[in-house]
């Protein structure tokens, strides 16, 4: 028992090395935020492309479905290795398929493994989020589309002003869950040499033969993810109270209790 | 104003419309009655091209709108034809006022002020001027339906289609919606109303058409069709509906 405390809960060591640990965690946060925001946007774009109607857009739909299937089917680790390997190789002086600034990016002062990480995470999580958005879009009752089209809106206008706003509100909890998963998967970028928080912990372990750096990393992750998880719970509870749609601004006058025929949360 | 010529529509193997002929003059109110499954809703959807007909012609103000259904044609139709639905279909994430303004701004390109003024006037006309900022979930079914009517009217349609708009409402809420429709008719709006409200049809309709299994079985002035129907099927249907 003493050994466990000594080896994993050496708070003095954690404090001593807190600089390296926090530096690593700072990378974790940057990766999470960049990749998270980009995947949310990319996922929505994919979901919209997947829904484009009509025979003319069939190729677009097929390519999008293919993309989503592939990147939900390959381990993120593989995608990371393929992205970093290929981009750096294509930019190598001997190949010159793509310019060096694109293949070995150091934008905003971040090292290239960071950007390979962002690219791989966005490519992969975009695919997952696209499916979440799709579920949201399909949960919006068809009557909404019919009403919008009857009023003369084009498919694009109906999507933009009626369907997508309602769909996104419905799926904020699962999107947040995917974001939480993403923050943890940032640790995989360590295989590209980026010293994010897990790698920082491992470096401390090899230097001091003590695993407390890892535990420190775990604590930091928990501090990040638990509030997010509670936020998800709160959002779900709030959604259920308001019947799945946005609550009104006027005086909190509750629905008169008369049955309204078309609840927006469930399918009719 | 509106003419349907031998319109047919199938969904997969089921033929829902087997050749509909219908004619609506400007200012007329045509009520379509019939049992469920007779194709009444499909008929309305063929008029505003939510469901393009498989064959036959639909003429709107003399212009044929079937056949090609390009984006421009869909546009032409939907700006002249307004539709109100049985299941309300108000935009849940927008207030009553926003519901009535949205299509005005995005489809007709009206300015925010212009749409707002018009929206407020229409919501006042349907008796909801105190509920402008309420969201659909805060309104009763009857109130939501009146917003739906205002929303369709905001587009200045030439024809209004009503798809069983009171069928999903609690009985005590039906009258307020029918009153709005009565006023609309009195003001000369051309209307095609699918309904089960025989009293309304008797009072307001210029013409009543009885549909069964995809065809118009009998049509004529309300006094004739509703009180002395000639066709057996019409008699049977009315017997079921009027004697509850």
């Amino acid at each position: 028992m003493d050994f466990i405390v000594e080896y994993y809960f050496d708070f003095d060591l954690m404090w001593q090395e807190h600089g390296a640990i926090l530096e690593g965690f700072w990378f974790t946060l940057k990766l999470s935020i960049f990749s998270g925001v980009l995947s949310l946007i990319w996922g929505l774009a994919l979901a919209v492309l997947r829904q484009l109607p009509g025979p003319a857009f069939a190729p677009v739909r097929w390519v999008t479905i293919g993309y989503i299937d592939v990147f939900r089917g390959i381990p993120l680790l593989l995608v990371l290795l393929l992205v970093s390997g290929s981009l750096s190789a294509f930019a190598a002086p001997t190949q010159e398929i793509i310019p060096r600034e694109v293949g070995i990016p150091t934008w905003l002062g971040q090292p290239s493994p960071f950007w390979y990480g962002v690219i791989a995470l966005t490519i992969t999580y975009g695919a997952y989020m696209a499916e979440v958005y799709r579920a949201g879009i399909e949960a919006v009752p068809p009557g909404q589309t019919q009403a919008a089209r009857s009023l003369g809106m084009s498919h694009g206008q109906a999507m933009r002003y009626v369907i997508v706003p309602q769909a996104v509100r419905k799926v904020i909890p699962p999107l947040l869950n995917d974001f939480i998963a993403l923050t943890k998967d940032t640790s995989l970028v360590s295989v590209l040499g980026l010293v994010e928080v897990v790698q920082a912990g491992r470096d401390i372990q090899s230097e001091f033969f003590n695993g407390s750096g890892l535990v420190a990393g775990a604590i930091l992750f928990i501090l990040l993810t638990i509030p997010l998880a509670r936020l998800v719970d709160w959002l779900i509870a709030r959604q259920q109270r308001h019947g799945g749609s946005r609550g009104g601004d006027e005086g909190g006058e509750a629905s008169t209790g008369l049955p309204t025929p078309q609840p927006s949360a469930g399918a009719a | 104003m509106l003419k349907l010529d031998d319109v047919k529509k199938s969904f997969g193997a089921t033929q829902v419309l087997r050749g509909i002929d219908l004619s609506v003059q400007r200012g007329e109110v045509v009520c379509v009655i019939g049992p469920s499954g007779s194709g009444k809703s499909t008929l309305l959807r063929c008029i505003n091209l939510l469901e393009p007909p498989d064959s036959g012609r639909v003429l709107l103000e003399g212009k044929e709108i079937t056949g090609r259904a390009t984006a421009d044609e869909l546009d032409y139709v939907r700006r002249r034809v307004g539709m109100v639905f049985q299941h309300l279909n108000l935009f849940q994430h927008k207030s009553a006022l926003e519901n009535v303004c949205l299509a005005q701004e995005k489809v007709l390109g009206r300015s925010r002020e212009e749409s707002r003024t018009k929206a407020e006037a229409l919501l006042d006309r349907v008796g909801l001027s105190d509920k402008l900022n309420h969201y659909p979930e805060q309104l009763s079914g009857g109130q939501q339906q009146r917003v739906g009517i205002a929303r369709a009217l905001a587009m200045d349609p030439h024809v209004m289609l009503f798809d069983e708009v009171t069928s999903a409402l609690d009985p005590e809420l039906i009258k307020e919606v029918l009153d709005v429709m009565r006023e609309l008719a009195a003001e000369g709006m051309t209307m095609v109303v699918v309904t089960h409200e025989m009293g309304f049809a008797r009072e307001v309709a210029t013409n009543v058409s009885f549909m069964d299994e995809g065809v118009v079985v009998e049509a004529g002035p309300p006094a004739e069709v509703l009180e002395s129907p000639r066709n057996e099927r019409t008699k049977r249907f009315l017997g079921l509906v009027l004697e509850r």
Side-chain angles (χ1 to χ4, degrees):
Chain A
M1 190 59 198
D2 283 333
F3 171 75
I4 296 177
V5 173
E6 219 179 275
Y7 193 78
Y8 285 112
F9 291 94
D10 185 344
F11 291 103
D12 289 324
L13 180 60
M14 288 187 209
W15 180 248
Q16 180 189 316
E17 295 299 311
H18 78 274
I21 297 172
L22 286 177
E23 235 181 84
F25 194 63
W26 182 222
F27 267 120
T28 301
L29 286 176
K30 281 187 287 190
L31 277 170
S32 305
I33 293 174
F34 274 88
S35 317
V37 170
L38 287 172
S39 348
L40 282 168
I41 298 172
W42 178 225
L44 182 57
L46 285 169
V48 170
L49 287 174
R50 200 192 183 293
Q51 300 288 105
L52 287 175
F57 285 113
V60 174
R61 290 198 296 274
W62 289 121
V63 167
T64 311
I65 293 174
Y67 173 99
I68 293 174
D69 284 346
V70 163
F71 287 104
R72 292 199 324 157
I74 305 183
L76 174 61
L77 184 54
L78 259 182
V79 177
L80 269 169
L81 294 169
L82 287 170
V83 164
S84 70
S86 57
L87 284 180
S88 47
F90 296 160
T94 45
Q95 300 299 327
E96 293 196 323
I97 301 175
I98 52 177
R100 193 187 165 85
E101 304 74 53
V102 174
I104 306 181
T106 49
W107 311 318
L108 301 180
Q110 305 299 315
S112 52
F114 175 86
W115 291 114
Y116 297 145
V118 170
I119 292 170
L121 283 164
T122 303
I123 290 178
T124 306
Y125 272 86
Y128 284 101
M129 294 194 181
E131 286 296 273
V132 173
Y133 282 118
R134 177 167 80 114
I137 290 173
E138 291 186 354
V140 176
Q144 296 287 303
T145 317
Q146 286 168 4
R149 301 307 306 275
S150 299
L151 288 166
M153 290 192 217
S154 66
H155 175 81
Q157 287 175 321
M159 283 293 272
R160 186 168 156 204
Y161 298 110
V162 177
I163 309 294
V164 169
Q166 293 186 65
V168 169
R169 279 184 182 85
K170 280 183 206 287
V171 298
I172 289 179
L175 285 177
L176 263 181
N177 278 332
D178 270 347
F179 176 74
I180 294 173
L182 183 153
T183 59
K184 292 180 292 168
D185 270 349
T186 57
S187 55
L188 285 172
V189 187
S190 57
V191 307
L192 300 182
L194 186 71
V195 185
E196 44 68 62
V197 73
V198 172
Q199 188 59 42
R202 297 174 77 187
D203 289 346
I204 291 170
Q205 187 172 43
S206 40
E207 187 179 335
F208 295 96
F209 297 102
N210 186 297
S212 300
L214 298 171
V215 172
I219 293 173
L220 288 171
F221 265 113
I222 290 174
L223 288 176
L224 173 63
T225 58
I226 287 192
L228 285 175
R230 292 291 84 80
L231 174 62
V232 170
D233 290 342
W234 180 77
L235 285 171
I236 293 178
R238 196 178 81 144
Q239 253 181 21
Q240 282 175 348
R241 265 183 286 132
H242 287 289
S245 57
R246 180 175 151 184
D249 295 333
E250 276 335 79
E253 177 195 355
S255 141
T256 55
L258 293 162
T260 46
Q262 189 84 0
S264 62
Chain B
M1 153 78 92
L2 179 65
K3 188 158 160 32
L4 276 76
D5 216 348
D6 199 31
V7 168
K8 298 196 174 124
K9 176 76 184 171
S10 300
F11 290 105
T14 329
Q15 190 173 25
V16 177
L17 296 178
R18 295 165 196 264
I20 298 282
D21 293 312
L22 190 71
S23 181
V24 186
Q25 310 299 329
R26 185 181 301 273
E28 277 193 340
V29 175
V30 173
C31 283
V32 179
I33 60 174
S36 48
S38 53
K40 312 191 295 289
S41 288
T42 313
L43 170 62
L44 288 186
R45 289 184 150 82
C46 283
I47 297 175
N48 79 344
L49 297 184
L50 276 178
E51 307 278 2
D54 293 335
S55 71
R57 301 193 308 158
V58 178
L59 289 114
L60 181 60
E61 296 180 348
K63 180 170 161 167
E64 180 169 344
I65 58 177
T66 34
R68 282 153 303 168
T70 59
D72 287 327
E73 305 220 323
L74 286 175
D75 222 47
Y76 175 88
V77 172
R78 291 182 187 153
R79 289 182 194 208
R80 283 165 179 69
V81 179
M83 185 151 173
V84 187
F85 300 84
Q86 178 178 3
H87 292 294
L88 311 175
N89 294 339
L90 291 188
F91 304 139
Q92 301 290 320
H93 59 308
K94 297 212 171 278
S95 69
L97 188 65
E98 288 165 350
N99 257 275
V100 181
C101 285
L102 183 65
Q104 287 187 73
E105 287 173 29
K106 304 300 175 191
V107 178
L108 298 179
R110 290 184 185 154
S111 72
R112 177 145 296 191
E113 277 128 34
E114 220 187 311
S115 327
R116 240 195 109 98
T117 318
K118 184 143 185 128
E120 285 175 13
L122 281 168
L123 284 167
D124 184 52
R125 183 170 155 193
V126 302
L128 290 171
S129 43
D130 57 333
K131 301 262 191 271
L132 297 180
N133 295 317
H134 280 67
Y135 282 78
E137 61 171 12
Q138 297 170 302
L139 300 173
S140 73
Q143 292 167 330
Q144 290 187 52
Q145 205 55 295
R146 286 185 274 153
V147 175
I149 295 175
R151 184 175 66 173
L153 288 174
M155 307 297 283
D156 292 323
H158 301 183
V159 180
M160 283 282 279
L161 306 177
F162 293 84
D163 191 358
E164 293 198 42
V165 301
T166 53
S167 297
L169 296 179
D170 285 342
E172 66 269 21
L173 301 174
I174 294 179
K175 179 175 190 311
E176 65 198 54
V177 178
L178 292 182
D179 283 343
V180 172
M181 291 166 68
R182 261 184 267 267
E183 279 166 29
L184 209 50
E187 286 162 14
M189 173 65 77
T190 314
M191 296 162 58
V192 181
V193 182
V194 170
T195 187
H196 290 302
E197 295 290 325
M198 300 305 165
F200 176 84
R202 176 77 179 79
E203 194 195 314
V204 180
T206 338
N207 247 297
V208 172
S209 290
F210 170 68
M211 264 184 77
D212 193 12
E213 291 181 9
V215 285
V216 175
V217 169
E218 192 171 338
E224 255 179 57
V225 177
L226 294 174
E227 283 167 24
S228 25
R230 276 165 290 160
N231 192 295
E232 255 324 295
R233 284 147 85 184
T234 320
K235 284 189 201 165
R236 211 166 3 148
F237 173 73
L238 288 172
L240 289 171
V241 174
L242 292 173
E243 254 144 78
R244 261 195 311 174

